[in-house]
Amino acid sequence: MQSMQYPLNKLRENIASSFPSTTFKVLKEVKINIIKMELSITRPDDWHLHLRDGKLLEAVIPHSAHHFGRAIIMPNLKPPITTTAAAMAYRESILKALPINSGFTPLMTLYLTDSTTPAEIKLAKESGVIYAVKLYPAGATTNSQDGVTDLFGKCMPVIEEMVKHNMPLLVHGEVTSPEVDIFDREKVFIETVLSPLVLKFPQLKVVMEHVTTMDAVKFVESCAEGRIAATVTPQHLVLNRNSLFQGGLQPHNYCLPVLKRETHRQAIVSAVTSGSKRFFLGTDSAPHDRLKKECPCGCAGIYNAPVALAVYAKVFEEAGALDKLEAFTSFNGPDFYGLPRNTSKITLRKTPWKVPESFSYASGHVVPMFAGEMLDWLPSPV
Ligand SMILES: NC(=O)N[C@@H](CC(=O)O)C(=O)O
Ligand SMILES: [Zn+2]
Ligand SMILES: [Zn+2]
């Protein structure tokens, strides 16, 4: 491997703050290895992933399967995955689309609607392949039109059944009322839906998906560990809302919940790099065909699967917390879900690589996050 152009001072600072017990003498001795830096970590899982279906599924699945051991598969297809039978069929098509010899395991979810029954939850649990139920407030995001219109009025028996089976509820945490400013929708959701829900069901396990605000960070930190957790995306760790408008409208940085101001981004970075067990990796990789992003009414969703690990590594490196990366990528998620941690490893090499401009597939093109830009960390299976 080539040695890197990386300022030695910065490297020392990073290493010293990541591994405080490391002495300067040792740093000098391992200088060569530091310059050719590699991290070997337990293979990560992705606890929030959109794989879509058909040709797009075939195109994107290798990017996730290459790096991740398992992923929680979001059910917002058209039509949505509302039954155990549909989830099992979707799982089969994912397995069929996997590269040969891939060990990737899809963990399926059910899409909650006003008419989901407790019997369906029982069936889901008994299937052994469904790990969670996803709450989309109707109209909150991509393909959420069949989502829940009245959680407290319509879904209480279903939530009770989920508690009985220890089945986590995954939430897209935004209210949909048009009078609430789009930048406040997560905060208002916490106040009006999530807090009351958690109070009403102290045993319910909840994952607040793709948190974007310091309000969400504070809420999750205030709840019992092991009961309420949050996934964090690469984009909400490295981008703020300025990047939606940098030099013109940037559709490939548009996702929901929408990027927030810098202070929120900083709060999320502090939370994940603190070593808290409450936060874990969930990319929310959400591919849309290029023509559905670059058009007069572009879809929400960032395709980040090819770059996610490189971006997470950069965030932990810059925070001087590389020693905490593995818990975030590979331990906190399975521990929360009560699943074993992966036993295989992957390597992250500190080497510059260029993100492809786009990936073509049978029905068009999909543009990844940071298309055409250079990233520092290159993941590869050991
Ligand atoms: N995050 C997004 O902006 N989009 C997701 C839906 C979601 O996770 O809310 C999608 O399915 O495209
Ligand atoms: Zn969402
Ligand atoms: Zn999502």
Side-chain angles (χ1 to χ4, degrees), residues 48 50 134 136 141 172 209-210 256-257 284:
H48 183 135
H50 300 270
K134 180 69 191 276
Y136 292 100
T141 187
H172 179 108
E209 299 293 336
H210 46 44
L256 286 170
D284 192 19

Side-chain angles (χ1 to χ4, degrees), residues 20-236:
S21 57
T22 312
T23 65
F24 180 67
K25 184 165 167 287
V26 173
L27 278 179
K28 260 168 110 179
E29 283 165 11
V30 296
K31 198 169 89 181
I32 301 303
N33 286 336
I34 292 168
I35 288 173
K36 298 174 178 179
M37 200 149 90
E38 290 190 1
L39 285 174
S40 169
I41 59 169
T42 301
R43 182 184 285 273
D45 302 301
D46 184 349
W47 300 95
H48 183 135
L49 176 63
H50 300 270
L51 281 179
R52 315 302 192 201
D53 54 6
K55 297 289 177 213
L56 193 50
L57 163 65
E58 285 170 22
V60 300
I61 199 170
H63 294 139
S64 292
H66 194 55
H67 301 147
F68 297 101
R70 296 163 287 194
I72 283 278
I73 309 300
M74 289 294 147
N76 60 334
L77 298 189
K78 267 187 192 161
I81 304 297
T82 56
T83 63
T84 301
M88 291 173 81
Y90 184 29
R91 180 173 174 273
E92 287 308 314
S93 50
I94 292 170
L95 294 176
K96 227 168 107 192
L98 277 172
I100 300 164
N101 293 331
S102 168
F104 181 82
T105 305
L107 310 174
M108 308 311 291
T109 60
L110 277 194
Y111 183 115
L112 185 63
T113 71
D114 288 347
S115 47
T116 305
T117 61
E120 194 63 59
I121 302 297
K122 187 163 180 280
L123 214 56
K125 184 69 185 189
E126 286 167 359
S127 75
V129 297
I130 298 176
Y131 290 81
V133 175
K134 180 69 191 276
L135 163 63
Y136 292 100
T141 187
T142 307
N143 294 346
S144 64
Q145 50 283 353
D146 299 306
V148 171
T149 64
D150 179 6
L151 182 70
F152 291 99
K154 305 240 166 82
C155 303
M156 293 301 98
V158 161
I159 303 282
E160 273 163 27
E161 189 71 13
M162 288 171 59
V163 171
K164 217 160 102 187
H165 297 291
N166 205 21
M167 175 87 88
L169 180 71
L170 317 182
V171 299
H172 179 108
E174 288 191 291
V175 293
T176 55
S177 338
E179 59 277 9
V180 178
D181 188 283
I182 192 163
F183 293 99
D184 296 332
R185 288 184 185 174
E186 185 171 276
K187 180 176 189 290
V188 175
F189 182 88
I190 293 167
E191 290 160 1
T192 60
V193 182
L194 204 47
S195 289
L197 183 71
V198 163
L199 276 177
K200 195 170 160 72
F201 296 99
Q203 303 303 320
L204 179 67
K205 275 173 100 104
V206 179
V207 182
M208 199 176 174
E209 299 293 336
H210 46 44
V211 287
T212 66
T213 57
M214 66 173 70
D215 310 275
V217 165
K218 280 188 193 147
F219 174 76
V220 171
E221 285 175 342
S222 74
C223 294
E225 191 181 286
R227 198 164 74 78
I228 313 296
T231 52
V232 183
T233 75
Q235 57 266 24
H236 294 108

